[in-house]
Amino acid sequence: MFAANYPETPHILHHQMADHAALSLDALAELAGVLPASSIEFNSGDLPIGVDGKPDATGLTIQDTIRHIATSNSWAVLKNIEQSPAYENLLLSLLEELKPQIEAKTGAMLRPQGFIFISSPDAVTPYHFDPEHNILLQLKGSKVMTQFPAGDARFAPDQVHEGYHSGGARELTWDDSFAKGGTEFAISAGQALFVPVMAPHFVRNGPTSSISLSITWRSDWSFEEADARGFNRILRKSGITPTAPSRWPGSNKPKAYAYRALRKFGLVG
């Protein structure tokens, strides 16, 4: 299933991680206590689909937020769990199963990263996109992710992509007219959802608290797409309206290599 759909088509997979001891609430609260503050984000779960900037904190500690997620009306993420050796081993063991299929299509599997999301009932993860290939494993509870076509400028304009790859935010501007262009994917414990690179999406949690694990990676192809966006930003600043990078299996090597050359010689940041 994965091999047939990777890297452009969202699809649902199945996993056996729901009862893993390292992914219980108590274990995750302990992990939050050892991760650096920069790797922890948590705020109110009562958010709209579109947000302007980062939401305010709830006043709870991250440990209390996690242990009482059923009643804290919160959303939390533990970023880069691979900073812990035990969780790095867990992440790499999962990705190793898929590595041959990944590398056969998009080149070397690079920068494996893991993110754990802990959400209260009905919490919302606002509209955004991500630069990684991503599989979201639902461990507890359920959620509905609404995905929009990657690379479609109706849902994320080219200038927003270019700004993101030069240090901008991943949050996107929501318009209610977008709703009819999205596809809903409902997943529950034991299911997983593949999310293509830079596919805009938002998530609504189900009626019970939720734990999800995102296993992510970059690829030769994803870095070429990102660098082509960087080159397009230079062209746009020069008054040229560039053609958007190709989606896979198209190649973005010429623009990517030009941008890397400019960066190597210190001509771009």
Side-chain angles (χ1 to χ4, degrees):
M1 174 70 76
F2 177 78
N5 288 284
Y6 178 76
E8 285 291 87
T9 305
H11 56 284
I12 292 176
L13 301 164
H14 298 273
H15 67 85
Q16 297 177 322
M17 300 297 296
D19 296 319
H20 197 288
L23 301 172
S24 68
L25 286 178
D26 283 341
L28 297 178
E30 291 182 12
L31 175 62
V34 300
L35 288 176
S38 59
S39 296
I40 297 169
E41 182 179 348
F42 59 110
N43 47 228
S44 171
D46 186 16
L47 296 175
I49 294 172
V51 296
D52 183 12
K54 294 295 183 185
D56 293 333
T58 60
L60 299 172
T61 67
I62 182 61
Q63 288 87 353
D64 283 343
T65 296
I66 292 173
R67 288 195 169 100
H68 304 291
I69 196 66
T71 57
S72 62
N73 187 25
S74 298
W75 171 92
V77 57
L78 307 182
K79 305 175 183 179
N80 298 112
I81 61 171
E82 68 279 0
Q83 295 173 91
S84 160
Y87 287 88
E88 179 184 32
N89 290 338
L90 176 62
L91 170 66
L92 294 180
S93 70
L94 292 170
L95 288 175
E96 189 65 27
E97 297 182 28
L98 301 172
K99 188 174 181 178
Q101 289 76 26
I102 290 169
E103 297 193 336
K105 289 189 173 180
T106 55
M109 187 183 76
L110 306 168
R111 294 191 188 178
Q113 295 178 309
F115 304 84
I116 296 176
F117 299 90
I118 306 104
S119 311
S120 293
D122 303 314
V124 171
T125 304
Y127 188 55
H128 69 287
F129 55 20
D130 301 299
E132 304 93 0
H133 306 275
N134 174 21
I135 299 176
L136 180 70
L137 288 75
Q138 189 67 18
L139 306 170
K140 303 293 182 186
S142 63
K143 57 182 50 172
V144 177
M145 178 186 289
T146 303
Q147 286 193 40
F148 298 81
D152 190 325
R154 292 177 297 167
F155 305 109
D158 292 330
Q159 294 91 326
V160 174
H161 281 270
E162 294 159 19
Y164 171 76
H165 288 300
S166 62
R170 67 183 62 206
E171 288 77 23
L172 300 171
T173 300
W174 173 255
D175 188 296
D176 288 342
S177 67
F178 294 170
K180 60 182 179 291
T183 301
E184 292 187 350
F185 295 91
I187 55 174
S188 56
Q191 294 181 305
L193 175 61
F194 174 71
V195 187
V197 169
M198 303 305 277
H201 58 280
F202 66 87
V203 183
R204 291 188 184 276
N205 202 36
T208 61
S209 53
S210 165
I211 305 175
S212 306
L213 166 65
S214 277
I215 58 173
T216 77
W217 63 96
R218 298 295 299 269
S219 66
D220 291 334
W221 185 91
S222 75
F223 279 117
E224 287 167 6
E225 191 268 352
D227 287 339
R229 292 285 187 186
F231 189 74
N232 277 0
R233 183 169 180 267
I234 294 172
L235 295 178
R236 199 179 301 278
K237 289 173 68 175
S238 300
I240 299 170
T241 301
T243 301
S246 300
R247 294 297 302 180
W248 190 90
S251 174
N252 297 300
K253 283 183 169 63
K255 284 183 177 179
Y257 290 174
Y259 185 72
R260 292 170 188 177
L262 292 172
R263 190 167 54 201
K264 180 179 179 180
F265 290 105
L267 299 177
V268 294

